[in-house]
Amino acid sequence: MKLQERTWAEISLGAIEHNYRAIRAAIPSGTKFLGVVKADAYGHGAIEVSRLLERVGADYLAVSCLAEAIELRESGIKLPILILGHTPADNVPLLCRYGITQTVTCEAKAKEFSDEAKKCGDTLKVHIALDTGMSRLGFLCGGKHFTDGVRNIISAVNLPNIDAEGVFTHFALSDEPGEEAKAYTENQFRLFCDVISAVERESGFRFRIKHAANSGAVLSYPETALDMVRPGLLLYGYGDGGRLGLKSAMSLITTVSTIKHYDAGVSVSYGGIFKTERHTRMGVIPIGYADGLLRSLSNNFSVYTDDGFAPQRGRICMDMCMVDLTELPGVNLDSRVEIFGENADLEELSRRAGTIPYELMCSVSKRVPRVYVG
Ligand SMILES: *Cc1c(COP(=O)(O)O)cnc(C)c1O
């Protein structure tokens, strides 16, 4: 079977390379670039995207778990890889063997990692995560936690068999508009810098890589670039509001598999939420929620065809859904149908689904083949 027969995702590596260069041009020269390729590179294919980033000169990659990191190493990726999320301490031998950097989120974890690394006679490279206001992972160090936070970080970086190469924090509101979000982000950044200063002053220890900027901060808070930036979304062409001239990298494409003609008054798909109001030429497209087309979009969006937009009708099923082609006589069996991409805006589709582009990109499921162009 050719990949482009049922439903597929076209990934433009050229667009990702363009976005990489556009982000590079927007950050101070000399700043390292970490490309976030977790969740299969936001659905774009972690191996292909990582190979591209390695070739064009990125400095670091980040994933969310050990399995994602090993997949990249097994496919020959040599760049440093940072795991942003949880890895159980008994995996330390694997982290060391594959040369993977692990995030350390509290003193107890640091101790476990150190003990395991000592057992296997190796040194584990880590980045220390600071919780400056995301209230997720990381050493608490805001307000009354400042002194304890600094002390705990100093103990962590001094543990045996641990090499604390880096330190980072994550912004909660850097992509939100408004003065409150700005003040919140600036506070997070100030706290981050203050904690690092205190740790370095009190212990004499020096972090080699300090980083904070996700996509929102790369765009709106250039002063947070420090030693390295850490964008994900921007690489895939979203989140810049047009300011960097990014290109969307993924188009989700399907075809028309069947065309039927119904009289007025016919109930379409599960639950009968749509009834034809006129003679209707209805196409069936082979994409459903098991491919990542969220069921919550049912009856609430349009697909793009070479003849124009066709409204989707009735409940989205697991493997297919229906589109109204009555006004589009040029659309026939096997015509190309775009769910999102170059012509059908993913941000608009996300708003209709009550979510964000991140979720729709990550939702494109494993059975949808990725076809690389450019
Ligand atoms: C996912 C993630 C990023 C990338 O976020 P974007 O908004 O896609 O740029 C950066 N840092 C951490 C810790 C993350 O979890």
Side-chain angles (χ1 to χ4, degrees):
M1 186 182 100
K2 287 219 314 289
L3 291 176
Q4 295 101 316
E5 274 178 359
R6 179 185 175 261
T7 292
W8 65 96
E10 269 171 24
I11 313 290
S12 166
L13 292 175
I16 296 174
E17 180 171 350
H18 169 90
N19 298 339
Y20 167 80
R21 295 192 192 287
I23 301 164
R24 270 279 189 212
I27 61 175
S29 66
T31 307
K32 288 179 191 290
F33 188 107
L34 176 152
V36 179
V37 295
K38 64 192 180 194
D40 204 23
Y42 294 36
H44 295 67
I47 294 173
E48 286 77 4
V49 173
S50 299
R51 281 190 182 136
L52 168 72
L53 290 175
E54 190 164 72
R55 181 170 60 72
V56 297
D59 302 284
Y60 230 109
L61 299 170
V63 296
S64 64
C65 61
L66 181 61
E68 290 182 342
I70 290 179
E71 180 190 32
L72 295 182
R73 281 284 178 262
E74 294 279 319
S75 62
I77 298 295
K78 299 282 189 294
L79 279 180
I81 300 173
L82 172 64
I83 296 181
L84 296 166
H86 174 63
T87 305
D90 53 4
N91 286 313
V92 163
L94 282 173
L95 289 168
C96 292
R97 179 173 348 133
Y98 283 101
I100 295 163
T101 312
Q102 174 60 41
T103 294
V104 168
T105 56
C106 65
E107 203 197 345
K109 284 261 168 54
K111 184 83 176 51
E112 285 181 36
F113 287 141
S114 167
D115 289 346
E116 288 296 325
K118 208 154 134 193
K119 263 196 244 163
C120 61
D122 233 321
T123 297
L124 178 66
K125 194 176 279 187
V126 304
H127 285 205
I128 303 288
L130 305 193
D131 181 357
T132 57
M134 176 70 179
S135 308
R136 196 173 65 175
L137 298 177
F139 287 75
L140 257 184
C141 47
K144 64 176 185 183
H145 302 288
F146 190 90
T147 313
D148 281 351
V150 169
R151 199 188 52 224
N152 291 340
I153 294 161
I154 291 173
S155 339
V157 301
N158 284 322
L159 286 168
N161 301 72
I162 291 277
D163 171 21
E165 172 188 60
V167 60
F168 73 98
T169 194
H170 193 46
F171 295 122
L173 304 182
S174 63
D175 59 350
E176 299 284 341
E179 284 307 308
E180 242 175 87
K182 185 163 183 280
Y184 198 90
T185 306
E186 287 171 351
N187 267 328
Q188 278 197 266
F189 186 59
R190 195 172 316 116
L191 177 58
F192 181 58
C193 295
D194 288 349
V195 172
I196 294 173
S197 301
V199 168
E200 295 192 338
R201 192 177 54 240
E202 289 174 27
S203 66
F205 182 85
R206 292 285 172 275
F207 292 106
R208 278 113 72 198
I209 310 179
K210 301 164 189 148
H211 52 113
N214 57 358
S215 291
V218 166
L219 209 62
S220 306
Y221 302 91
E223 69 279 14
T224 66
L226 300 176
D227 299 317
M228 182 160 81
V229 295
R230 214 171 60 230
L233 189 68
L234 292 176
L235 267 178
Y236 309 106
Y238 293 92
D240 74 323
R243 280 192 272 168
L244 297 182
L246 303 181
K247 298 180 180 171
S248 76
M250 184 193 295
S251 298
L252 182 58
I253 309 293
T254 186
T255 51
V256 178
S257 71
T258 303
I259 294 178
K260 311 266 288 289
H261 293 263
Y262 302 117
D263 289 332
V266 172
S267 159
V268 173
S269 192
Y270 292 120
I273 62 169
F274 178 80
K275 269 198 180 63
T276 56
E277 287 173 353
R278 54 175 178 179
H279 177 90
T280 300
R281 183 173 177 259
M282 194 75 89
V284 181
I285 56 175
I287 182 168
Y289 58 79
D291 299 291
L293 184 58
L294 304 190
R295 186 170 175 273
S296 59
L297 282 164
S298 293
N299 232 6
N300 187 29
F301 78 107
S302 293
V303 300
Y304 178 84
T305 74
D306 288 340
D307 230 16
F309 282 92
Q312 190 275 321
R313 301 296 197 202
R315 283 257 158 77
I316 294 170
C317 309
M318 185 182 286
D319 311 306
M320 61 193 93
C321 63
M322 275 56 88
V323 293
D324 190 337
L325 302 175
T326 314
E327 312 279 344
L328 307 172
V331 178
N332 288 301
L333 286 184
D334 295 329
S335 285
R336 178 187 166 97
V337 171
E338 183 182 306
I339 307 297
F340 65 75
E342 224 175 309
N343 305 290
D345 182 26
L346 175 61
E347 285 176 348
E348 165 67 12
L349 192 67
S350 306
R351 275 190 291 276
R352 287 179 174 273
T355 185
I356 49 177
Y358 297 78
E359 190 182 10
L360 291 189
M361 291 191 286
C362 293
S363 298
V364 175
S365 71
K366 197 171 74 174
R367 81 173 179 200
V368 176
R370 271 61 171 177
V371 175
Y372 292 90
V373 296

